[in-house]
Amino acid sequence: MPDSMPLGSAQNIGPKSAETLAHAGLTTLVQLQQMGAVAAYVKVKGTNAGTTLNLLWALEGAIAGLPWQVVANEHRTSLLLALEDYERRLKPR
């Protein structure tokens, strides 16, 4: 799978998610890989308040080549901790 593939062609990313990601400035798998699932999720959530954690599972799955359901079941805790840490670092002190 080429890194420059459009996100809409990546595993777990459907047309609606691809549109939401594009609105946040993410259009390719390489951009997602460089940013990471947590940072990309926070960026999307900043442009779309209706974003749910299912997108985080899908983004991590797209990067890792795993179905989002596997990510949700096996990586939920580590991703939630990483999200909490990332958001904490973003807040002004």
Side-chain angles (χ1 to χ4, degrees):
M1 137 174 39
D3 287 341
S4 61
M5 83 160 31
L7 275 173
S9 300
Q11 183 172 351
N12 304 317
I13 308 296
K16 186 176 178 184
S17 293
E19 184 179 326
T20 301
L21 289 159
H23 184 69
L26 293 162
T27 58
T28 68
L29 184 57
V30 73
Q31 288 174 318
L32 175 59
Q33 290 168 329
Q34 289 173 345
M35 181 172 279
V38 171
Y41 171 79
V42 170
K43 184 172 185 173
V44 170
K45 194 167 182 180
T47 63
N48 184 345
T51 302
T52 69
L53 286 171
N54 284 339
L55 182 64
L56 178 57
W57 315 146
L59 295 174
E60 182 65 20
I63 292 170
L66 296 170
W68 70 266
Q69 299 93 331
V70 170
V71 174
N73 287 329
E74 297 178 10
H75 304 278
R76 175 185 299 262
T77 301
S78 62
L79 282 170
L80 289 174
L81 289 171
L83 176 60
E84 183 180 308
D85 183 58
Y86 187 87
E87 289 178 329
R88 186 179 316 124
R89 287 185 281 128
L90 287 180
K91 290 183 181 176
R93 295 181 193 257

